Amino acid sequence: MGEPLLDWDDLRFFLAIVRTGSLSAAARELRVTQSTVGRRLASLEAGLGARLLHRTPDGYVPTLAGEAILGQVERVEAEALAVERTVGGRDALLEGVVRVTTVETLASHVLAPAFCALQLGNPEIGIELLANVRHMSLAMREADIAVRLTRFEQHDLVARRIGTMAHGLYASPIYLERHGPPDFAAGCPGHRLVTGLDGAEVPQLANWLAEVAPRATASLRTDSPEAQLQATLGGQGMACLPRLRGDALPDGLRRLRPPVAQAVVEIWAAVHKDNRRIPRIRLVLDAVATAVRDLAGQLNPPEHQDARQPCA
């Protein structure tokens, strides 16, 4: 029958380079050396007898041949992962690692404490908590559970709304001394904003801030909510922050009251449909939902209420 044209495992390396744009980034993602990535790409191209990637100043991009096979290779990857999920789904033991991806605020102030309590009674379960602005793929096994502030659109996921989180407009006392109170009726001219980077913001929050302060200018943009909070505390500008965080710092931040309702976003949790019955994933998912429910009064307090005070 002769030797096969290619090693199917080489396709993983091809996809990693396409998605990251470089050999070094692909090596980090696959947890191998850069030379291994280069060698596997060369093996794949030799087996197919075609150049698949072209190196440019901006990174590696697919050639015409690479573009032609990209969709097929992604389908091969999806089928291989489906096989893994089918086998993994038969594991009925409450042990193993569960990877959870979410936003920084929820990771630090809601989920991390909940996972500490969970593992006291389930020490065999390991948890990897990823606070990443990039949406990690559940279908591609980058994470087992995703918790986001926007609704999931993928059809292969099982998702549910587990809570809501209110945001308000905050500024530090030192900023208000320098710039004075904002004139919301005029759109806050002369004022400065600390905002998220494009692509790292929740659209609903970005739209709310644009409505509240359309004439203010951005002095700092960052993809880190914690950096946004620290910059606001330092007097860099006004910012749309979770009330869970802003109300907890009454000496450092003041919540301003624009003539519109506070911004409230939904908290959604999702798992891949093939993994929804795996006991360890269900256990962690239930812990996530319980943690959000238990902190509902702080995550979404009424307009007039300080988030540090319990709801009546």
Side-chain angles (χ1 to χ4, degrees):
M1 294 179 63
E3 295 184 358
L5 290 176
L6 56 86
D7 181 345
W8 289 103
D9 193 51
D10 290 341
L11 297 175
R12 292 192 305 117
F13 291 81
F14 167 69
L15 283 178
I17 300 169
V18 171
R19 289 167 179 165
T20 63
S22 73
L23 298 182
S24 57
R28 288 192 297 271
E29 181 174 294
L30 296 171
R31 299 180 181 180
V32 298
T33 65
Q34 183 173 333
S35 61
T36 297
V37 176
R39 185 173 66 253
R40 299 298 289 269
L41 174 61
S43 172
L44 178 62
E45 291 179 329
L48 293 175
R51 184 81 175 269
L52 300 178
L53 294 171
H54 176 63
R55 186 175 183 179
T56 73
D58 296 323
Y60 281 85
V61 297
T63 62
L64 290 177
E67 289 282 4
I69 70 167
L70 181 58
Q72 294 171 298
V73 174
E74 289 176 331
R75 287 193 290 274
V76 169
E77 179 189 47
E79 289 298 327
L81 291 172
V83 170
E84 291 182 14
R85 286 193 294 269
T86 299
V87 175
R90 299 180 185 277
D91 181 7
L93 300 177
L94 278 175
E95 62 182 35
V97 175
V98 178
R99 176 175 278 199
V100 182
T101 176
T102 188
V103 296
E104 189 175 296
T105 299
L106 292 178
S108 299
H109 301 281
V110 179
L111 300 189
F115 292 157
C116 289
L118 172 69
Q119 289 180 305
L120 288 176
N122 300 274
E124 295 82 11
I125 293 180
I127 298 176
E128 294 182 358
L129 181 56
L130 309 174
N132 201 315
V133 296
R134 182 175 74 86
H135 283 180
M136 308 193 79
S137 172
L138 299 181
M140 298 303 174
R141 299 294 294 273
E142 291 181 317
D144 300 304
I145 298 171
V147 184
R148 297 180 188 164
L149 302 182
T150 54
R151 185 187 295 266
F152 293 85
E153 301 295 339
Q154 298 93 325
H155 298 299
D156 55 355
L157 304 182
V158 177
R160 60 171 167 150
R161 194 186 80 155
I162 59 174
T164 55
M165 185 160 69
H167 291 66
L169 187 67
Y170 294 86
S172 69
I174 190 171
Y175 172 84
L176 294 173
E177 288 177 9
R178 292 172 181 168
H179 297 271
D183 183 352
F184 292 112
C188 301
H191 279 270
R192 300 160 67 84
L193 297 173
V194 178
T195 71
L197 286 170
D198 293 340
E201 286 190 297
V202 177
Q204 183 179 343
L205 298 179
N207 294 339
W208 183 85
L209 188 58
E211 178 185 358
V212 166
R215 297 182 62 188
T217 58
S219 61
L220 176 68
R221 298 180 186 273
T222 175
D223 64 356
S224 167
E226 188 61 30
Q228 196 173 350
L229 174 66
Q230 293 301 323
T232 309
L233 282 168
Q236 186 78 20
M238 305 183 298
C240 176
L241 301 173
R243 290 193 58 190
L244 176 72
R245 298 291 286 129
D247 288 6
L249 302 167
D251 296 330
L253 292 176
R254 294 179 183 170
R255 183 159 66 97
L256 308 175
R257 305 299 178 99
V260 297
Q262 64 182 357
V264 178
V265 295
E266 297 178 331
I267 305 173
W268 286 80
V271 298
H272 194 277
K273 62 182 182 181
D274 293 342
N275 292 337
R276 66 187 184 277
R277 293 189 177 90
I278 296 178
R280 66 177 181 276
I281 293 178
R282 287 201 61 85
L283 185 68
V284 175
L285 184 61
D286 288 343
V288 168
T290 298
V292 171
R293 183 179 65 248
D294 290 347
L295 291 174
Q298 297 177 55
L299 286 166
N300 187 11
E303 289 264 14
H304 63 278
Q305 180 177 292
D306 190 311
R308 295 167 299 149
Q309 300 172 351
C311 292

